[in-house]
Amino acid sequence: MNEIFLLKLGEIVLKGANKKAFENKLCTNVSRRMRPFGAFKVSILQSTVYVEPENETCDLDGAWDACHTIFGAVSICRCRPCEKDLDAIFAAIQAYLGDDLAAAKSFKVESKRSDKRFPLNSIQISQEIGGRLAEAYPEVAVDVHDPDYTVYVEVRDFAAYVHGPAEPGAGGLPTGVGGRAGVLLSGGIDSPVAGYMIAKRGVELEAIHFFSYPYTSERAKEKVLELARRMTRYCGRMTVNVVGFTEIQEAIRDHCPEEYFTIIMRRFMMRIAERIALDHGCGCLVTGENLGQVASQTMEAMAVTHAVVHIPVFHPLIGMDKEEIVRIARRIDTLETSILPYEDCCTVFTPKHPKTKPKLGAVEEVESRLEVEALIERALQNTELVKVRYHG
Ligand code: ATP
Ligand code: MG
């Protein structure tokens, strides 16, 4: 075995009594995520997940890519295991990291000895190995303060491991330790990011999308499914509940004053989303709302919209600037799909002058002209379930 991955746990180590359950969940998640790439042995020891390929046919690069999207690991590294012996460690560094080291201007060695039976302590290991490397690579300067490249040596229970700088992991908590959430997923930039942020707290997602055919096209629906698919890289497989919303939007258009269209439409969305969420064991709803972004996202409008639901509604983007949201969307690879120019049902029958400070009483009065319950029932019956999983 020439190369294995070490995934270092983040907050999980702090979680006291839950620690064991969290670690087990992380191991299960890692095993599942490695499956498409061949046979891997996944185990956990001293707050580190070991991912070891079991044969030569494993797709290491594919598996390594996937490691970047597993919640629960703060840092990840590819490394070479070797005997717990200075000669073996030195040889492993030369063979495995020699090219990177030779290309650097300066280096240092950082060591960690968790196996206290090993005769040298961490500082002594670094000094010994650093001295040998300085001789072997005379053109690379030693710089312990601000090195261009750092060689890491970890002497652990069953072997020693050498590696270069670790990469950041996905952070957060392992998927599945934090319950389930229903995310209202539009085709925009915000809601996939909002879903990702809640998923990062260990929460599984059930997606809900409102679809107004023929006002919004099949391609708009495909776009949302593609967004969901991209999100599954991080949050695991999910189901998208595609709710037929046309009848509701037409009823609002036909019976309500124009300035109330959006707020009433959003109240329907929230009510339906809550029912779907409860049906699927979700304890909260998630939206991509952002304070002040549009007329329906003032405090007053949000109060009226959220007055119809009884479970918590989280909006993780509420205080973020658009640039921050876009940056995350780019990093999690949803941006490109979000900016495809297909319309969302929110842009159908948009009022020219929406009420930015609606009053609950007035909204309820207008809404009472509609057969709210019957409309909701029919929309729920007219819901298509689409399971999505990552495909590439
Ligand atoms: P986004 O970029 O997520 O579309 P937005 O800034 O366009 O958000 P709105 O259109 O006001 O804002 O929507 C606010 C939130 O309502 C969205 O983030 C999403 O959670 C939800 N939402 C909007 N349209 C839909 C839809 N067609 N299906 C499901 N949820 C929706
Ligand atoms: Mg939108």
Side-chain angles (χ1 to χ4, degrees), residues 7-10 13 19 23 44-49 156:
L7 318 187
K8 309 276 173 87
L9 275 57
V13 279
K19 181 177 164 186
E23 289 186 346
I44 190 156
L45 200 68
Q46 295 164 333
S47 301
T48 302
V49 179
R156 292 173 165 265

Side-chain angles (χ1 to χ4, degrees), residues 98-112:
D99 289 348
D100 289 347
L101 190 53
K105 288 191 195 67
S106 59
F107 82 100
K108 76 167 175 178
V109 178
E110 207 162 282
S111 308
K112 206 170 108 194

